[in-house]
Amino acid sequence: MKLVSLFDELLKDTVNLNKTRIDLLEASIPALRSFVRESEWKPKVRTFVEQGSWAHQTIIRPVDSGEFDADLLVMVDPVDGWTAADYVESLGRMFSESKTYGDKTKTWDYCVTITYAGDRKIDLAPCIVGRLWESSLEVCNRKGSFELTSPVEYTEWMKERNAYSGNNSFRKVTRLVKYLRDIKETFTCPSVLLTTLLGNEIQWFEKGTDEFADVPTTLKTLMGRLDNRLRMYPTRPTVTNPKLQSEDFSPLFGTDEQYSNFRTVIARCRKWIDEAHAMEGRQESIKAWQKVFGPEFAKADVVKAAADGMSESASTSFVGRFLDSTAAHLGGIVDMVRDYGLSILPAGFARPPHIQAPPWRSVAHPADIAVKAEWRSASHVQGGRMVAAGQLLKGQGGLYFRASLADGTPVPPEYSVEWRITNTGAEAMSKKAGRGGFEISNKGDGRWEQLMYRGIHMAEAFVVRRSDDVLVGVSKPFYVVIE
């Protein structure tokens, strides 16, 4: 079954970058533009051009709850005698030396990145206009030379492809395949290459045809065609930029092994998508689509069906017993969350009997505090990978938790952060390790916790004003799921 409305829900609730974050991005751009224009940077600025997923409207929500990226080209006139490195490095110095952006700036080979902690990154890349001929465009490789580019034309090509499909379905499918790449982590393919591969499979004469009638059908069509094309090429094929014939995207496949793996995964996903699209029966079809997109697909529909099944079977199913209580220590709770997601947890789950109440006086409306977690193999290791709340984890290594204000800025030094770490599950409780009290940061500006007990555990941050010991900020529980 196609289940068009459930695809709409998946896009809206899980895949699409939410409007709040888009608004934050768009609010940051005028300030960056003004900063560059009003600075003493030598190149004459013509204009600014959006590039990449932001310009294509295929930007997606990061699956690890981390920062999302947006690209902005700074279109400038050439400066006599300057090398490609001069443009990038001078732009980087200008931002690094400013009070506003100094601690947010990182200079790379092609661009300068401004990072707004815990939320978004904006890459500003110098683009030289008319150095070779009147309308030529070149980006700057700090470790190489000038490279021809065609960002505006490529964006128009992408929009043209989208116009050939019904209901904006090409753009939506591009987001879905990027989401599939990010949640599965079974293949790598940069967004520009993925967009080009998919876009090459739809042509002008197909506008209005049944193959692109809606999102699931467009997904089936494009993934089928992509699989067929890749089967023709045992080794990496040339993938030409449709608006710049001299540019070949194929090196972005990576190694021969990575390309071979990409072919294999696309073939497997194509098979699953075909099966789900052809499946009869709503619940059977949902299960088949979840094989593709995971438990986030139709999670509300699944929970409702489970609850309905409970009433019909006189509450004998595990789902029924789960929904009737917190089930905090039942051995199967991890499996339930794995299958249905955190949304199935009852409201009272976050307050088991052994949890302690905050001991501080509180302001009337404590501020929202954000908590992020990073998996590390050991406490002494520096750096790791971001982990999303509810992500299934093995009982090895540990998480390094950090608290910040809702906008991603660090908690000011005049405030302390206290952590409430609460364990649930039979294993933790049998070892009297339920915890639920308050503890200070134990590593730098955050809290390190070893992953040990099967169950669903919680980390919460409480921000206390040092001067009078008053609670001013509280986070939502960050759920840690250990299988």
Side-chain angles (χ1 to χ4, degrees):
M1 294 181 69
K2 293 195 290 187
L3 304 176
V4 175
S5 64
L6 295 184
F7 271 91
D8 291 341
E9 290 178 10
L10 178 68
L11 284 160
K12 178 176 177 289
D13 298 337
T14 304
V15 176
N16 296 347
L17 190 65
N18 50 305
K19 186 177 185 301
T20 300
R21 300 185 84 179
I22 291 176
D23 289 345
L24 284 172
L25 167 64
E26 293 180 346
S28 304
I29 299 302
L32 289 172
R33 288 173 172 167
S34 296
F35 178 80
V36 174
R37 287 190 181 280
E38 295 168 7
S39 71
E40 297 181 357
W41 194 39
K42 191 171 182 179
K44 179 183 177 182
V45 178
R46 290 195 177 195
T47 188
F48 297 83
V49 174
E50 299 170 10
Q51 185 182 229
S53 299
W54 176 28
H56 306 158
Q57 297 179 39
T58 60
I59 195 167
I60 65 170
R61 193 177 309 184
V63 298
D64 60 2
S65 301
E67 297 100 346
F68 66 92
D69 298 328
D71 300 319
L72 187 67
L73 291 176
V74 188
M75 315 297 282
V76 300
D77 287 339
V79 177
D80 288 342
W82 271 32
T83 66
D86 290 332
Y87 291 92
V88 180
E89 291 173 355
S90 61
L91 184 64
R93 281 195 302 271
M94 184 182 69
F95 275 98
S96 296
E97 293 169 0
S98 76
K99 292 182 180 179
T100 303
Y101 298 107
D103 60 347
K104 299 181 176 67
T105 300
K106 177 76 173 180
T107 303
W108 304 94
D109 289 346
Y110 290 88
C111 65
V112 176
T113 298
I114 309 300
T115 301
Y116 299 82
D119 185 76
R120 62 202 182 280
K121 295 179 181 179
I122 299 176
D123 296 334
L124 293 99
C127 183
I128 318 307
V129 182
R131 192 184 72 92
L132 296 177
W133 60 83
E134 184 177 353
S135 58
S136 67
L137 299 178
E138 299 169 285
V139 291
C140 305
N141 184 344
R142 182 182 173 199
K143 294 182 179 178
S145 58
F146 301 98
E147 299 176 7
L148 283 170
T149 188
S150 55
V152 176
E153 292 83 356
Y154 184 92
T155 297
E156 289 304 312
W157 173 84
M158 195 277 171
K159 291 179 179 178
E160 182 182 68
R161 260 48 195 172
N162 187 63
Y164 299 156
S165 65
N167 302 311
N168 205 29
S169 61
F170 173 66
R171 186 173 275 141
K172 292 174 182 177
V173 164
T174 304
R175 291 185 210 137
L176 286 170
V177 179
K178 289 168 66 173
Y179 172 73
L180 187 62
R181 173 198 63 190
D182 293 352
I183 61 166
K184 296 289 187 182
E185 297 184 325
T186 52
F187 71 92
T188 58
C189 188
S191 294
V192 67
L193 175 57
L194 196 57
T195 301
T196 304
L197 288 169
L198 293 171
N200 283 340
E201 301 302 335
I202 179 172
Q203 304 299 327
W204 64 268
F205 54 82
E206 297 182 295
K207 184 174 182 178
T209 60
D210 291 343
E211 287 86 350
F212 302 95
D214 50 58
V215 171
T217 303
T218 300
L219 175 66
K220 177 181 181 297
T221 299
L222 292 183
M223 289 295 275
R225 291 181 180 182
L226 177 58
D227 177 41
N228 291 341
R229 186 172 299 276
L230 294 174
R231 288 173 187 268
M232 298 166 58
Y233 297 97
T235 58
R236 294 184 302 178
T238 297
V239 183
T240 304
N241 181 333
K243 291 299 179 181
L244 185 63
Q245 293 299 305
S246 63
E247 185 172 18
D248 178 16
F249 291 142
S250 64
L252 298 176
F253 279 121
T255 64
D256 292 339
E257 290 77 15
Q258 286 175 308
Y259 171 70
S260 178
N261 176 72
F262 178 69
R263 291 177 76 232
T264 299
V265 174
I266 293 299
R268 183 167 64 240
C269 289
R270 184 257 184 97
K271 178 176 180 291
W272 291 346
I273 289 167
D274 286 350
E275 290 173 348
H277 195 274
M279 186 70 67
E280 297 182 2
R282 184 178 179 85
Q283 293 308 314
E284 291 78 7
S285 184
I286 286 175
K287 188 176 296 185
W289 282 117
Q290 285 187 328
K291 191 174 183 179
V292 182
F293 292 108
E296 290 299 310
F297 184 88
K299 60 183 179 181
D301 197 273
V302 171
V303 171
K304 180 181 182 301
D308 291 344
M310 172 202 69
S311 61
E312 292 172 5
S313 60
S315 300
T316 58
S317 69
F318 175 74
V319 173
R321 290 186 286 113
F322 179 76
L323 294 176
D324 277 345
S325 68
T326 63
H329 310 308
L330 291 177
I333 190 172
V334 172
D335 300 323
M336 294 295 297
V337 170
R338 177 198 63 205
D339 293 341
Y340 302 133
L342 290 173
S343 62
I344 198 173
L345 292 176
F349 182 87
R351 296 293 176 264
H354 61 282
I355 203 167
Q356 296 181 21
W360 310 278
R361 292 181 298 115
S362 176
V363 297
H365 301 287
D368 291 332
I369 300 299
V371 170
K372 293 189 179 298
E374 187 178 274
W375 184 89
R376 298 181 179 181
S377 58
S379 63
H380 64 274
V381 173
Q382 297 297 315
R385 59 179 170 83
M386 297 300 296
V387 169
Q391 182 176 334
L392 208 63
L393 301 170
K394 302 288 186 183
Q396 57 192 32
L399 295 183
Y400 179 45
F401 295 100
R402 280 198 184 99
S404 67
L405 305 186
D407 63 359
T409 57
V411 175
E414 58 267 30
Y415 299 87
S416 64
V417 179
E418 296 269 349
W419 295 90
R420 181 165 66 186
I421 307 297
T422 308
N423 293 332
T424 71
E427 186 179 3
M429 301 309 290
S430 68
K431 297 181 179 179
K432 298 182 179 180
R435 299 171 68 180
F438 293 88
E439 303 168 70
I440 61 173
S441 297
N442 61 1
K443 184 174 177 60
D445 58 350
R447 176 91 196 167
W448 161 265
E449 288 288 338
Q450 188 174 357
L451 298 174
M452 296 178 64
Y453 307 115
R454 176 180 170 87
I456 299 177
H457 317 299
M458 293 164 283
E460 299 166 276
F462 296 77
V463 174
V464 180
R465 191 162 54 213
R466 297 181 188 274
S467 62
D468 55 6
D469 223 27
V470 169
L471 180 67
V472 298
V474 180
S475 75
K476 295 178 180 177
F478 186 103
Y479 289 102
V480 178
V481 183
I482 303 177
E483 60 178 345

